[in-house]
Every structure is written in structure tokens, then in C-alpha cells.
Amino acid sequence: MTQGPTVTGESPSPAVYGQSDRPPRGDYSRGGEVRADYTCPQDYAAYTASDHETYRRLYERQSALLTGLACDEFIDALPLLGVKDRIPRFEEINDRLFPATGWQVVAVPGLIPEVPFFTLLANRKFPVTDWIRKPEEYEYIVEPDVFHDLFGHVPLLFNPVFADHMQAYGAGGLKAHRLGACEQLARLYWYTIEFGLMQQTDGANPGLRAYGAGILSSSGELVHAVTSDAPHRLALDVLRAMRTRYKIDSYQQTYFVINSFKQLFDLTTPDFTPLYEQVRKAEELTPDTVQAADVVVKRG
Ligand code: HBI
Ligand code: FE
């Protein structure tokens, strides 16, 4: 478990993204157990039998759906998570993850502000929300919970190329914060790490596959993103993705497609400073827009 200064007296405040008319989920006080870096102990004893059952059912349904829809890298890595019949202890995941790629998962009480979020990633620590959705939210939840964070994000942290990409993203996020460009970078994150598709060319069965955690942790969106005729699918262009607004409470209308994690890593390695300037000058695009300059993989 990460050691950090414990916040005494005052607790870190929750992060709120976008407009919201309901209070943020998660307990950010925990009797003073949330540290200044927003990490906290995973309160494993607090999980009920029903919580473990929710995780088990979500894992079972989602893992049965992956063939032909998820990228090979994800399918290969998922078993490395280990536990499937209850909420895992984060330490037991770290026993495997740290030796594999130097990453660790750390517990957080929910969404955290951008700077602590990027700081953790830059240090190869992935913040995982420790609470799980209630049974009545089984099908859909807007905020990340432990199932989204573990099942969706953590398997690819066992992949060395993707693992390096996530650390670089954290470092890039801290720079974006200094440049006042978090919104632009958050859009790229949304359209790649959360909702990215990959055109898989090698392997036994080529085709369009998901690698984004928001897709991989949702049974409805996994089928929609890969097989539906409705959404647009465009080749990833970093500037284009940064110009595109996104919706957090419906299936995406546009997905951006990469060819490989190596390509994603190469596209996102250059200094984004001049790009942020270009994005600021360019017009914002709605999530359903297709432009003449877009490289269209499949028009919706
Ligand atoms: N906090 N716990 C948590 N999980 C996230 O995915 C997350 C966050 N804070 C900020 C954030 N994501 C986004 O703003 C990033 O895209 C920048
Ligand atoms: Fe996520």
C-alpha cells in the first residue's frame, strides 16, 4: 500500500467533472484515512456478500463476451488479474502486476482531481475506485467503480507498450495542466484509453476490436462499439480527437481507431504544446460530426 501523508483535520475534496446536479459519489473523509495524494486503504472488510456477488456476475458476463470484440492484448492479459469470483484485494493484483511492468494499483475513494490523478499515473500507480455499484445500478453507472477500473483498465497495464503509454500520459497530463490544456488532453484520453478501438491486422482473426476501458467494462457498449452500424469510426488523429466534445451518459457516436499500441504510443510521444495552440484556434466538433478531412474507417 502506498504511504503518503495522512490529511488530518480536513479531508481532500471530491472531484466533479462536467455539470452535475447530484453530489459526487464516494466517501472522501473515511475518518481521516484518505491521504493527501487521494489514495486510501482498500476497505476490504466493508464489502458485503452482495458486493462480491455483483463483481462476480459482472466479471462472468463480461469475460464471456470478449471473443471477437476485445483486442487480443486484452484477452491475453485478463487472466493475469487472477480473482474472478469476488472483488480482488489490490495487494494480490500488485503481487503479479508490479513484477510484470512496474505498475501498482492504489485505492482511491472515487474520481479525484486532475493533478493527483496525473501524478499517480506518472509514477506508475493506477488509481482504482474501491467501491462497487449497487445491484440496481448493475447495467449502467456513469462514474467509475471498482469493476470498471479493475476489469477495464488494469489488464492492459500488464502489456509493456500500453503500460509505458499510461505513464507518459500521466507526465503529459501534468504538462497539460501547466499549459491550461487539461480539457484537450482529457478528450484524447476519452477517445483512446476509455473508448478506443483497434483495427487488429495480425493474429488468428483480424478485425475491429475494443481496447478502451469504458467499452470493455460495459456489455452494451462493447457490442455497440464493435458491431453496430450507427456510430462513425474514424482513424485516430490526435488533433481531431482533441477538438471533439464527448458525452458521458450515452453510447459514443464516434469512435477513433488505431492500428496498434505502438502506433498510439508513437502518435502521442511528440510534444503537444503546439497542438494545444492549434486546438484552441480550431472549431470544436460535436460527437456526431464527420468532416471531409477525416479518414473514415466506417461511416455511421
Ligand atoms: N480520477 N479516480 C479517477 N479515475 C479517473 O479515470 C479519472 C480521475 N480524475 C481525472 C480523470 N480521470 C480525467 O480527468 C482524465 O481524463 C484526465
Ligand atoms: Fe476509466
PDB file of all heavy atoms in Angstrom, residues 17 108 110-114 117-118 127 129 144 169 186 189 194, ligand 1:
ATOM      1  N   TYR A  17     -16.629  16.377 -12.460  1.00  0.00           N
ATOM      2  CA  TYR A  17     -16.366  16.676 -13.874  1.00  0.00           C
ATOM      3  C   TYR A  17     -17.657  16.951 -14.610  1.00  0.00           C
ATOM      4  O   TYR A  17     -18.654  16.279 -14.383  1.00  0.00           O
ATOM      5  CB  TYR A  17     -15.609  15.519 -14.537  1.00  0.00           C
ATOM      6  CG  TYR A  17     -14.262  15.353 -13.932  1.00  0.00           C
ATOM      7  CD1 TYR A  17     -14.050  14.456 -12.911  1.00  0.00           C
ATOM      8  CD2 TYR A  17     -13.217  16.177 -14.327  1.00  0.00           C
ATOM      9  CE1 TYR A  17     -12.823  14.347 -12.304  1.00  0.00           C
ATOM     10  CE2 TYR A  17     -11.985  16.071 -13.726  1.00  0.00           C
ATOM     11  CZ  TYR A  17     -11.792  15.153 -12.724  1.00  0.00           C
ATOM     12  OH  TYR A  17     -10.577  15.057 -12.115  1.00  0.00           O
ATOM     13  N   VAL A 108      -8.530   4.545  -4.331  1.00  0.00           N
ATOM     14  CA  VAL A 108      -8.983   5.942  -4.172  1.00  0.00           C
ATOM     15  C   VAL A 108     -10.495   5.903  -3.894  1.00  0.00           C
ATOM     16  O   VAL A 108     -11.173   4.932  -4.237  1.00  0.00           O
ATOM     17  CB  VAL A 108      -8.691   6.825  -5.428  1.00  0.00           C
ATOM     18  CG1 VAL A 108      -7.199   7.092  -5.588  1.00  0.00           C
ATOM     19  CG2 VAL A 108      -9.272   6.210  -6.698  1.00  0.00           C
ATOM     20  N   GLY A 110     -12.899   7.542  -5.267  1.00  0.00           N
ATOM     21  CA  GLY A 110     -13.764   7.871  -6.405  1.00  0.00           C
ATOM     22  C   GLY A 110     -12.964   8.737  -7.358  1.00  0.00           C
ATOM     23  O   GLY A 110     -11.726   8.694  -7.348  1.00  0.00           O
ATOM     24  N   LEU A 111     -13.650   9.533  -8.176  1.00  0.00           N
ATOM     25  CA  LEU A 111     -12.940  10.441  -9.090  1.00  0.00           C
ATOM     26  C   LEU A 111     -12.095  11.400  -8.261  1.00  0.00           C
ATOM     27  O   LEU A 111     -12.538  11.885  -7.218  1.00  0.00           O
ATOM     28  CB  LEU A 111     -13.943  11.234  -9.929  1.00  0.00           C
ATOM     29  CG  LEU A 111     -14.589  10.464 -11.075  1.00  0.00           C
ATOM     30  CD1 LEU A 111     -15.701  11.287 -11.712  1.00  0.00           C
ATOM     31  CD2 LEU A 111     -13.559  10.075 -12.127  1.00  0.00           C
ATOM     32  N   ILE A 112     -10.894  11.642  -8.712  1.00  0.00           N
ATOM     33  CA  ILE A 112     -10.004  12.550  -7.996  1.00  0.00           C
ATOM     34  C   ILE A 112      -9.597  13.681  -8.943  1.00  0.00           C
ATOM     35  O   ILE A 112      -9.718  13.542 -10.166  1.00  0.00           O
ATOM     36  CB  ILE A 112      -8.772  11.806  -7.429  1.00  0.00           C
ATOM     37  CG1 ILE A 112      -7.879  11.236  -8.537  1.00  0.00           C
ATOM     38  CG2 ILE A 112      -9.224  10.692  -6.478  1.00  0.00           C
ATOM     39  CD1 ILE A 112      -6.592  10.591  -8.020  1.00  0.00           C
ATOM     40  N   PRO A 113      -9.108  14.807  -8.426  1.00  0.00           N
ATOM     41  CA  PRO A 113      -8.748  15.923  -9.307  1.00  0.00           C
ATOM     42  C   PRO A 113      -7.608  15.562 -10.258  1.00  0.00           C
ATOM     43  O   PRO A 113      -6.864  14.606 -10.031  1.00  0.00           O
ATOM     44  CB  PRO A 113      -8.329  17.026  -8.327  1.00  0.00           C
ATOM     45  CG  PRO A 113      -8.986  16.668  -7.036  1.00  0.00           C
ATOM     46  CD  PRO A 113      -8.997  15.161  -7.003  1.00  0.00           C
ATOM     47  N   GLU A 114      -7.483  16.351 -11.313  1.00  0.00           N
ATOM     48  CA  GLU A 114      -6.549  16.003 -12.384  1.00  0.00           C
ATOM     49  C   GLU A 114      -5.090  15.902 -11.932  1.00  0.00           C
ATOM     50  O   GLU A 114      -4.407  14.943 -12.287  1.00  0.00           O
ATOM     51  CB  GLU A 114      -6.685  17.012 -13.531  1.00  0.00           C
ATOM     52  CG  GLU A 114      -7.822  16.607 -14.447  1.00  0.00           C
ATOM     53  CD  GLU A 114      -8.526  17.773 -15.110  1.00  0.00           C
ATOM     54  OE1 GLU A 114      -8.306  18.932 -14.698  1.00  0.00           O
ATOM     55  OE2 GLU A 114      -9.310  17.514 -16.037  1.00  0.00           O
ATOM     56  N   PHE A 117      -4.386  12.799 -10.023  1.00  0.00           N
ATOM     57  CA  PHE A 117      -4.607  11.683 -10.953  1.00  0.00           C
ATOM     58  C   PHE A 117      -3.386  11.503 -11.865  1.00  0.00           C
ATOM     59  O   PHE A 117      -2.809  10.415 -11.965  1.00  0.00           O
ATOM     60  CB  PHE A 117      -5.869  11.963 -11.774  1.00  0.00           C
ATOM     61  CG  PHE A 117      -6.194  10.910 -12.795  1.00  0.00           C
ATOM     62  CD1 PHE A 117      -6.660   9.660 -12.410  1.00  0.00           C
ATOM     63  CD2 PHE A 117      -6.061  11.175 -14.154  1.00  0.00           C
ATOM     64  CE1 PHE A 117      -6.980   8.689 -13.363  1.00  0.00           C
ATOM     65  CE2 PHE A 117      -6.374  10.213 -15.108  1.00  0.00           C
ATOM     66  CZ  PHE A 117      -6.833   8.967 -14.710  1.00  0.00           C
ATOM     67  N   PHE A 118      -2.949  12.590 -12.501  1.00  0.00           N
ATOM     68  CA  PHE A 118      -1.792  12.516 -13.407  1.00  0.00           C
ATOM     69  C   PHE A 118      -0.514  12.160 -12.650  1.00  0.00           C
ATOM     70  O   PHE A 118       0.351  11.450 -13.168  1.00  0.00           O
ATOM     71  CB  PHE A 118      -1.591  13.863 -14.110  1.00  0.00           C
ATOM     72  CG  PHE A 118      -2.709  14.236 -15.049  1.00  0.00           C
ATOM     73  CD1 PHE A 118      -3.160  15.561 -15.126  1.00  0.00           C
ATOM     74  CD2 PHE A 118      -3.304  13.299 -15.881  1.00  0.00           C
ATOM     75  CE1 PHE A 118      -4.177  15.924 -16.000  1.00  0.00           C
ATOM     76  CE2 PHE A 118      -4.322  13.657 -16.762  1.00  0.00           C
ATOM     77  CZ  PHE A 118      -4.756  14.974 -16.817  1.00  0.00           C
ATOM     78  N   PRO A 127      -4.925   4.639 -10.063  1.00  0.00           N
ATOM     79  CA  PRO A 127      -5.953   4.793  -9.026  1.00  0.00           C
ATOM     80  C   PRO A 127      -7.192   3.972  -9.348  1.00  0.00           C
ATOM     81  O   PRO A 127      -7.770   4.093 -10.431  1.00  0.00           O
ATOM     82  CB  PRO A 127      -6.271   6.295  -9.057  1.00  0.00           C
ATOM     83  CG  PRO A 127      -5.860   6.764 -10.408  1.00  0.00           C
ATOM     84  CD  PRO A 127      -4.799   5.827 -10.921  1.00  0.00           C
ATOM     85  N   THR A 129     -10.965   3.034  -7.967  1.00  0.00           N
ATOM     86  CA  THR A 129     -12.079   3.311  -7.062  1.00  0.00           C
ATOM     87  C   THR A 129     -12.374   2.041  -6.278  1.00  0.00           C
ATOM     88  O   THR A 129     -12.474   0.972  -6.880  1.00  0.00           O
ATOM     89  CB  THR A 129     -13.306   3.703  -7.902  1.00  0.00           C
ATOM     90  OG1 THR A 129     -12.943   4.807  -8.729  1.00  0.00           O
ATOM     91  CG2 THR A 129     -14.486   4.080  -7.029  1.00  0.00           C
ATOM     92  N   PRO A 144     -16.803   5.849 -12.587  1.00  0.00           N
ATOM     93  CA  PRO A 144     -16.058   4.595 -12.462  1.00  0.00           C
ATOM     94  C   PRO A 144     -16.246   3.959 -11.090  1.00  0.00           C
ATOM     95  O   PRO A 144     -16.212   4.653 -10.075  1.00  0.00           O
ATOM     96  CB  PRO A 144     -14.600   5.024 -12.663  1.00  0.00           C
ATOM     97  CG  PRO A 144     -14.550   6.497 -12.463  1.00  0.00           C
ATOM     98  CD  PRO A 144     -15.922   7.014 -12.735  1.00  0.00           C
ATOM     99  N   TYR A 169       1.264   9.331 -20.447  1.00  0.00           N
ATOM    100  CA  TYR A 169       0.043  10.120 -20.382  1.00  0.00           C
ATOM    101  C   TYR A 169      -0.018  10.920 -19.076  1.00  0.00           C
ATOM    102  O   TYR A 169      -0.406  12.090 -19.059  1.00  0.00           O
ATOM    103  CB  TYR A 169      -1.182   9.206 -20.517  1.00  0.00           C
ATOM    104  CG  TYR A 169      -2.447   9.996 -20.407  1.00  0.00           C
ATOM    105  CD1 TYR A 169      -2.939  10.708 -21.488  1.00  0.00           C
ATOM    106  CD2 TYR A 169      -3.106  10.091 -19.189  1.00  0.00           C
ATOM    107  CE1 TYR A 169      -4.066  11.493 -21.357  1.00  0.00           C
ATOM    108  CE2 TYR A 169      -4.232  10.861 -19.050  1.00  0.00           C
ATOM    109  CZ  TYR A 169      -4.700  11.559 -20.138  1.00  0.00           C
ATOM    110  OH  TYR A 169      -5.806  12.348 -19.996  1.00  0.00           O
ATOM    111  N   ALA A 186      -7.895  15.572 -21.877  1.00  0.00           N
ATOM    112  CA  ALA A 186      -8.958  14.690 -21.364  1.00  0.00           C
ATOM    113  C   ALA A 186      -9.778  14.114 -22.520  1.00  0.00           C
ATOM    114  O   ALA A 186     -10.226  12.963 -22.468  1.00  0.00           O
ATOM    115  CB  ALA A 186      -9.860  15.439 -20.403  1.00  0.00           C
ATOM    116  N   TYR A 189      -7.784  11.280 -23.965  1.00  0.00           N
ATOM    117  CA  TYR A 189      -7.898  10.157 -23.029  1.00  0.00           C
ATOM    118  C   TYR A 189      -9.232   9.446 -23.236  1.00  0.00           C
ATOM    119  O   TYR A 189      -9.304   8.212 -23.296  1.00  0.00           O
ATOM    120  CB  TYR A 189      -7.796  10.702 -21.601  1.00  0.00           C
ATOM    121  CG  TYR A 189      -7.727   9.663 -20.502  1.00  0.00           C
ATOM    122  CD1 TYR A 189      -6.507   9.129 -20.099  1.00  0.00           C
ATOM    123  CD2 TYR A 189      -8.876   9.252 -19.820  1.00  0.00           C
ATOM    124  CE1 TYR A 189      -6.430   8.205 -19.061  1.00  0.00           C
ATOM    125  CE2 TYR A 189      -8.809   8.329 -18.775  1.00  0.00           C
ATOM    126  CZ  TYR A 189      -7.582   7.802 -18.406  1.00  0.00           C
ATOM    127  OH  TYR A 189      -7.521   6.900 -17.371  1.00  0.00           O
ATOM    128  N   GLU A 194     -10.298   5.332 -22.794  1.00  0.00           N
ATOM    129  CA  GLU A 194     -11.642   4.937 -22.378  1.00  0.00           C
ATOM    130  C   GLU A 194     -12.471   4.309 -23.502  1.00  0.00           C
ATOM    131  O   GLU A 194     -13.191   3.348 -23.276  1.00  0.00           O
ATOM    132  CB  GLU A 194     -12.414   6.136 -21.788  1.00  0.00           C
ATOM    133  CG  GLU A 194     -11.844   6.665 -20.481  1.00  0.00           C
ATOM    134  CD  GLU A 194     -12.005   5.712 -19.282  1.00  0.00           C
ATOM    135  OE1 GLU A 194     -12.679   4.658 -19.405  1.00  0.00           O
ATOM    136  OE2 GLU A 194     -11.421   6.017 -18.227  1.00  0.00           O
TER     137      GLU A 194
HETATM  138  N1  HBI B   1      -9.990  10.031 -11.139  1.00  0.00           N
HETATM  139  N2  HBI B   1     -10.278   8.069  -9.945  1.00  0.00           N
HETATM  140  C1  HBI B   1     -10.200   8.710 -11.121  1.00  0.00           C
HETATM  141  N3  HBI B   1     -10.329   7.998 -12.271  1.00  0.00           N
HETATM  142  C2  HBI B   1     -10.240   8.607 -13.481  1.00  0.00           C
HETATM  143  O1  HBI B   1     -10.352   7.950 -14.518  1.00  0.00           O
HETATM  144  C3  HBI B   1     -10.029   9.997 -13.531  1.00  0.00           C
HETATM  145  C4  HBI B   1      -9.892  10.685 -12.317  1.00  0.00           C
HETATM  146  N4  HBI B   1      -9.669  12.005 -12.341  1.00  0.00           N
HETATM  147  C5  HBI B   1      -9.465  12.720 -13.573  1.00  0.00           C
HETATM  148  C6  HBI B   1      -9.738  11.937 -14.782  1.00  0.00           C
HETATM  149  N5  HBI B   1      -9.960  10.665 -14.728  1.00  0.00           N
HETATM  150  C7  HBI B   1      -9.804  12.588 -16.123  1.00  0.00           C
HETATM  151  O2  HBI B   1      -9.925  13.959 -15.986  1.00  0.00           O
HETATM  152  C8  HBI B   1      -8.596  12.336 -17.012  1.00  0.00           C
HETATM  153  O3  HBI B   1      -9.054  12.129 -18.272  1.00  0.00           O
HETATM  154  C9  HBI B   1      -7.833  13.497 -17.304  1.00  0.00           C
END
